[in-house]
Amino acid sequence: MRTPKHLKRALWIIALLFVAGNAVRLLAVPESFGQFGEFRGAHLSEERERDPVHRGSEVCGECHDERLEEKNNGAHGPIPCENCHFQPYAGDETHPEAHPEISQSPDRSQRACLTCHQYFPARPQAFPQLANFPEHIATNGPKLKKDDVGAHTLCVHCHNPHDPKIDLGQNG
Amino acid sequence: MDKKKKNRRAFIKSAGHALAGLLMVVAIPKPGWAQRIHDIEVGEEIPDWLDHYWVYLIDTTKCIGCGACVRADKRENGVPPMFFRTWVERYQITEDNHVHVDSPDGGYGGFLPEDLAQLLTSAEKDPAGPGRGGGKGKNKVTKGFFVPKMCNHCRNTPCTQVCPVNASYQSPDGVVLVDKTRCIGCSYCVQACPYGSRYIHPEKHTADKCTWCYHRITKGLMPACVTVCPTGARKFGDLKDESSEIKKLLATQRLNVLKPELNTEPFCFYIGLDQSVR
């Protein structure tokens, strides 16, 4: 018995579809697809290739070791240098040569300090917060025994940002 | 009789054809994804993807809402303005039981009252005065807290399920990533995410989201938002590391996740999450 024509034709079509389908698959599916799951496996390596931007305080300490030590021993110890020296509000001055992306002079305005220390009912109450700046100056200023304390308008005039805690016991 | 014989021969022949056809179907090479990740032997080709399972923990009782994490994230990952991979929300519940939620610019500049100049010069005694998120009477804030939010890196991810090109997926170490070379920017995943943690990048026109700083954690560093957090409200670690701090915290603290009713199984846990947080 000869194979009927229509059966032969159908087989040919199936074979053709098989070849064409696999050809499309070969072209369309990326090489590493399915290596680790239903995704392009090479992307995992691509994603981890990028260099970190935040390098941590230790990198700053390689040159500025005294400043880093001062900071680490103070109340701002857990805060990495980048938090203030990488300020989005800061001016355009850039750090010389070595790392131009780092802003050399951080924001010294009230805004920089109050980002963390402004009083809010939503802030954890144990965290040091400032509700009223004039009142703060009026009560704590005289204890510093500085004549011109009333003229001070910035937090950094009294507080060292690297070691902000002022020991009032010694001064008055 | 002859006819019967012929029929049998024809039957055997067609059965042979059918068998050949069946074999052809079986012989089609098995697609790669049929081979599950757990079947693959850990060798040199896979670095340490099976040695880790990352998990994130946010302590809302420690967050001060400074926005350092939002700024760090934007610097680290080049997130365009007004788009966020992580953001901080402020919840304030007043005496009349109203929940006030705000997140100006995602908390990028912190939460400062608009009348800052007034705050610095005024001699007003009441710390809960106007513009300070406070108030008097029924507007008095009785309870307040900050809630940092980000991609929850769910185990049962709604976002990767809807991706038509398998550009979004969960990595073997539990991080939900987007393959930008495959993403077609259809934004199905943006709609599917119940936490609103995805966006379409305005220049690349592909989906973008928090990767837990995959380029950092695979090099032994912490995500940028965790390193800059001044109060330790953000914690990150490896579940497969028996001695890790996060493992101890997860075992001892009272935890919750966002929208647990959706069964997305988030791997971003919260400590001290109020019921008003949505």
Side-chain angles (χ1 to χ4, degrees):
Chain A
M1 192 201 86
R2 291 184 58 225
T3 316
K5 227 178 181 180
H6 66 279
L7 250 179
K8 250 186 180 170
R9 210 175 285 155
L11 283 174
W12 270 113
I13 289 171
I14 289 171
L16 202 74
L17 280 175
F18 173 74
V19 172
N22 273 291
V24 169
R25 233 190 82 83
L26 269 176
L27 290 173
V29 177
E31 201 184 328
S32 62
F33 195 91
Q35 195 181 356
F36 306 118
E38 292 175 46
F39 57 95
R40 196 170 58 91
H43 181 250
L44 278 175
S45 318
E46 286 167 27
E47 190 70 39
R48 75 204 298 239
E49 254 171 27
R50 199 150 51 92
D51 277 336
V53 176
H54 291 75
R55 308 288 168 92
S57 301
E58 292 74 25
V59 177
C60 310
E62 282 170 16
C63 296
H64 312 279
D65 50 340
E66 283 171 26
R67 286 290 173 86
L68 181 64
E69 202 181 324
E70 184 188 20
K71 176 193 81 76
N72 283 346
N73 292 331
H76 279 166
I79 305 174
C81 305
E82 291 129 331
N83 273 27
C84 301
H85 290 273
F86 217 149
Q87 269 281 354
Y89 315 120
D92 291 329
E93 290 168 90
T94 49
H95 199 284
E97 294 103 48
H99 20 241
E101 74 272 22
I102 295 176
S103 175
Q104 189 183 15
S105 60
D107 188 1
R108 296 171 71 81
S109 75
Q110 299 285 7
R111 191 179 161 82
C113 305
L114 290 177
T115 307
C116 291
H117 294 288
Q118 158 74 46
Y119 170 79
F120 280 130
R123 261 185 190 146
Q125 294 310 300
F127 188 78
Q129 300 167 64
L130 183 64
N132 192 311
F133 188 68
E135 200 180 270
H136 174 73
I137 290 278
T139 51
N140 294 310
K143 292 181 194 164
L144 286 174
K145 288 191 176 163
K146 276 187 185 175
D147 295 335
D148 59 342
V149 81
H152 289 331
T153 51
L154 293 183
C155 305
V156 292
H157 286 163
C158 295
H159 297 273
N160 172 9
H162 288 139
D163 186 11
K165 215 160 205 167
I166 298 174
D167 193 356
L168 289 171
Q170 276 181 359
N171 292 316
Chain B
M1 201 62 176
D2 196 44
K3 207 178 176 189
K4 217 179 177 181
K5 234 182 196 169
K6 214 174 184 181
N7 274 355
R8 188 185 291 156
R9 194 176 295 161
F11 169 76
I12 290 167
K13 209 170 180 183
S14 58
H17 278 139
L19 194 72
L22 201 74
L23 275 175
M24 203 157 80
V25 174
V26 175
I28 290 175
K30 228 181 178 185
W33 46 261
Q35 196 178 11
R36 290 283 151 191
I37 183 69
H38 300 291
D39 303 337
I40 300 171
E41 262 184 60
V42 183
E44 282 178 356
E45 279 191 15
I46 309 172
D48 45 6
W49 283 310
L50 293 181
D51 295 347
H52 305 287
Y53 205 88
W54 306 109
V55 63
Y56 205 99
L57 178 65
I58 294 172
D59 190 345
T60 57
T61 62
K62 281 187 185 165
C63 180
I64 57 166
C66 63
C69 46
V70 184
R71 294 189 287 277
D73 176 43
K74 294 229 172 195
R75 291 191 295 257
E76 184 75 39
N77 298 305
V79 180
M82 292 318 289
F83 290 93
F84 303 96
R85 285 182 172 200
T86 183
W87 66 99
V88 182
E89 290 174 4
R90 175 170 62 178
Y91 281 73
Q92 295 185 113
I93 295 138
T94 48
E95 196 109 325
D96 56 354
N97 249 340
H98 268 93
V99 183
H100 302 269
V101 190
D102 66 341
S103 182
D105 200 4
Y108 180 78
F111 290 78
L112 289 171
E114 281 175 16
D115 53 348
L116 183 66
Q118 193 198 328
L119 167 88
L120 297 174
T121 53
S122 80
E124 202 177 28
K125 289 281 193 304
D126 182 14
R132 297 178 198 183
K136 289 168 185 162
K138 70 181 175 77
N139 287 327
K140 189 177 181 289
V141 175
T142 55
K143 182 163 68 175
F145 40 84
F146 292 96
V147 182
K149 287 190 176 175
M150 56 194 284
C151 171
N152 284 257
H153 293 269
C154 311
R155 211 171 216 183
N156 191 11
T157 44
C159 55
T160 61
Q161 289 171 26
V162 297
C163 183
V165 291
N166 280 350
S168 194
Y169 63 95
Q170 189 167 34
S171 74
D173 44 1
V175 186
V176 178
L177 298 170
V178 181
D179 184 349
K180 287 174 189 68
T181 57
R182 281 189 71 73
C183 177
I184 54 170
C186 69
S187 76
Y188 279 7
C189 57
V190 178
Q191 292 179 51
C193 176
Y195 305 102
S197 50
R198 284 169 172 257
Y199 64 93
I200 297 291
H201 196 287
E203 282 150 28
K204 294 175 194 158
H205 303 294
T206 56
D208 195 37
K209 65 179 286 297
C210 162
T211 60
W212 275 346
C213 285
Y214 202 68
H215 60 294
R216 293 177 64 89
I217 60 173
T218 47
K219 293 182 183 105
L221 297 166
M222 285 279 150
C225 51
V226 175
T227 58
V228 300
C229 184
T231 59
R234 285 169 175 266
K235 295 259 186 331
F236 181 81
D238 183 5
L239 268 184
K240 290 191 178 173
D241 179 5
E242 290 299 324
S243 59
S244 65
E245 189 202 356
I246 198 110
K247 191 124 183 162
K248 212 170 281 171
L249 283 169
L250 287 173
T252 55
Q253 296 297 309
R254 294 155 199 205
L255 306 174
N256 206 346
V257 292
L258 289 171
K259 303 184 184 177
E261 70 277 10
L262 296 177
N263 291 326
T264 53
E265 295 182 52
F267 261 63
C268 178
F269 294 95
Y270 284 87
I271 297 174
L273 197 65
D274 192 78
Q275 60 150 351
S276 60
V277 180
R278 289 284 171 268

